Amino acid sequence: MVMHNPYATYQNNSVTTSTPGELTLMLYNGCLKFIEQAKRAADLGQIEQKNTAVQKAQAIISELMITLDASFPVAKDMLVLYEFANSRLVDGNIKNDSKMFEEASEIITEFRDTWKQVIQLNRQKQYGNVSEI
């Protein structure tokens, strides 16, 4: 008999039933989670855990970079900021400097918060109300 993990089922369902905008929000939140893990690991001297968390955050940033829609002028500016955040992660990993992780986190947080507002405005336009995400 196979045991099912209700949390894993919930996570899978939330990904498969989410809109592209909600998936992007999930990516931002995941990236921030991994940057926070990297900061904690750096502060505790846990080099392997720090490196793993940084690599996961970088993978998400890379995905965000390749999915940018270049037809919008703002995409070029976003790409520069993603590249900067990524470089902060690399430097923070090499130098074991959690302040650099914080710089990356600030950029990703701005993107996440802006994206959240866009989703809320779209929902308001579509459904006539705003629900918290």
Side-chain angles (χ1 to χ4, degrees):
M1 178 175 208
V2 176
M3 296 295 287
H4 293 284
N5 178 339
Y7 180 69
T9 301
Y10 168 78
Q11 279 188 311
N12 184 52
N13 288 342
S14 68
V15 169
T16 58
T17 61
S18 295
T19 66
E22 291 165 336
L23 290 173
T24 301
L25 187 61
M26 287 179 197
L27 286 174
Y28 285 131
N29 285 329
C31 187
L32 290 169
K33 177 182 86 170
F34 293 128
I35 293 171
E36 187 58 40
Q37 287 175 2
K39 284 193 308 190
R40 270 196 315 272
D43 292 341
L44 296 172
Q46 299 170 332
I47 304 304
E48 189 174 329
Q49 292 89 334
K50 174 195 67 173
N51 188 53
T52 299
V54 167
Q55 288 176 353
K56 289 177 180 180
Q58 287 180 293
I60 292 172
I61 291 173
S62 293
E63 184 64 25
L64 291 165
M65 289 168 72
I66 34 185
T67 58
L68 273 176
D69 186 345
S71 68
F72 292 99
V74 72
K76 187 187 256 184
D77 296 330
M78 291 176 71
L79 186 61
V80 170
L81 289 169
Y82 284 143
E83 288 171 343
F84 181 74
N86 198 41
S87 73
R88 295 287 79 193
L89 292 176
V90 170
D91 292 343
N93 199 12
I94 292 169
K95 297 175 181 174
N96 204 45
D97 186 346
S98 61
K99 287 185 183 95
M100 292 181 178
F101 296 145
E102 186 58 40
E103 290 177 35
S105 180
E106 289 171 6
I107 292 167
I108 301 302
T109 298
E110 283 292 320
F111 277 126
R112 192 263 327 261
D113 292 349
T114 301
W115 194 252
K116 194 173 176 181
Q117 288 177 338
V118 167
I119 292 172
Q120 288 173 337
L121 289 172
N122 282 338
R123 283 187 181 165
Q124 185 176 22
K125 202 182 265 185
Q126 187 175 6
Y127 302 112
N129 65 5
V130 178
S131 60
E132 277 298 310
I133 300 174

Coordinates of all heavy atoms in Angstrom, one line a residue, residues 2 13 22 28 32 54 80 105-106 122 129:
V2 N 0.6 2.2 -0.9 CA 1.4 3.4 -1.0 C 0.8 4.5 -0.1 O -0.4 4.7 -0.1 CB 1.4 3.9 -2.5 CG1 2.1 5.2 -2.6 CG2 1.9 2.9 -3.4
N13 N -0.8 20.0 -6.5 CA -2.1 20.6 -7.0 C -2.0 22.1 -7.1 O -2.5 22.7 -8.0 CB -3.2 20.2 -6.0 CG -3.6 18.8 -6.2 OD1 -3.3 18.1 -7.2 ND2 -4.4 18.3 -5.2
E22 N 0.6 33.4 -11.0 CA 0.8 32.8 -9.7 C 2.0 31.9 -9.6 O 2.7 31.9 -8.6 CB -0.5 32.0 -9.3 CG -1.7 32.8 -9.1 CD -3.0 32.1 -9.0 OE1 -3.1 31.0 -9.6 OE2 -3.9 32.6 -8.4
Y28 N 9.3 33.6 -7.2 CA 9.9 34.7 -6.4 C 10.0 34.3 -4.9 O 11.0 34.4 -4.3 CB 9.1 36.0 -6.5 CG 9.3 36.7 -7.8 CD1 8.3 37.2 -8.6 CD2 10.6 37.0 -8.3 CE1 8.4 37.9 -9.7 CE2 10.8 37.7 -9.5 CZ 9.7 38.1 -10.2 OH 9.9 38.8 -11.4
L32 N 13.4 33.7 -2.7 CA 13.6 34.4 -1.4 C 13.9 33.4 -0.3 O 14.7 33.6 0.6 CB 12.5 35.3 -1.1 CG 12.3 36.5 -2.0 CD1 11.0 37.2 -1.8 CD2 13.5 37.5 -1.7
V54 N 22.3 28.6 -2.5 CA 22.6 29.6 -3.5 C 22.3 29.1 -4.9 O 21.8 29.8 -5.7 CB 24.1 30.1 -3.4 CG1 24.5 30.9 -4.6 CG2 24.3 30.9 -2.1
V80 N 18.9 43.3 -16.3 CA 20.1 43.8 -15.6 C 20.0 43.6 -14.1 O 21.0 43.2 -13.5 CB 20.2 45.4 -16.0 CG1 21.2 46.0 -15.1 CG2 20.5 45.5 -17.4
S105 N 18.4 39.6 -2.1 CA 17.0 39.4 -1.5 C 16.2 40.7 -1.7 O 15.0 40.6 -2.0 CB 17.1 39.1 0.0 OG 15.9 38.9 0.5
E106 N 16.8 41.9 -1.5 CA 16.1 43.1 -1.7 C 15.5 43.3 -3.1 O 14.4 43.7 -3.3 CB 17.0 44.3 -1.3 CG 17.2 44.4 0.2 CD 18.3 45.4 0.6 OE1 18.7 46.2 -0.3 OE2 18.7 45.4 1.8
N122 N -5.0 42.7 -11.7 CA -5.6 41.9 -12.8 C -6.9 41.2 -12.2 O -7.9 41.1 -12.9 CB -4.7 40.9 -13.3 CG -3.7 41.5 -14.3 OD1 -3.9 42.6 -14.9 ND2 -2.6 40.8 -14.5
N129 N -13.0 42.5 -7.7 CA -12.5 42.5 -6.3 C -11.1 42.1 -6.2 O -10.5 41.6 -7.1 CB -13.4 41.6 -5.4 CG -13.2 40.1 -5.7 OD1 -12.3 39.8 -6.6 ND2 -13.9 39.2 -5.1

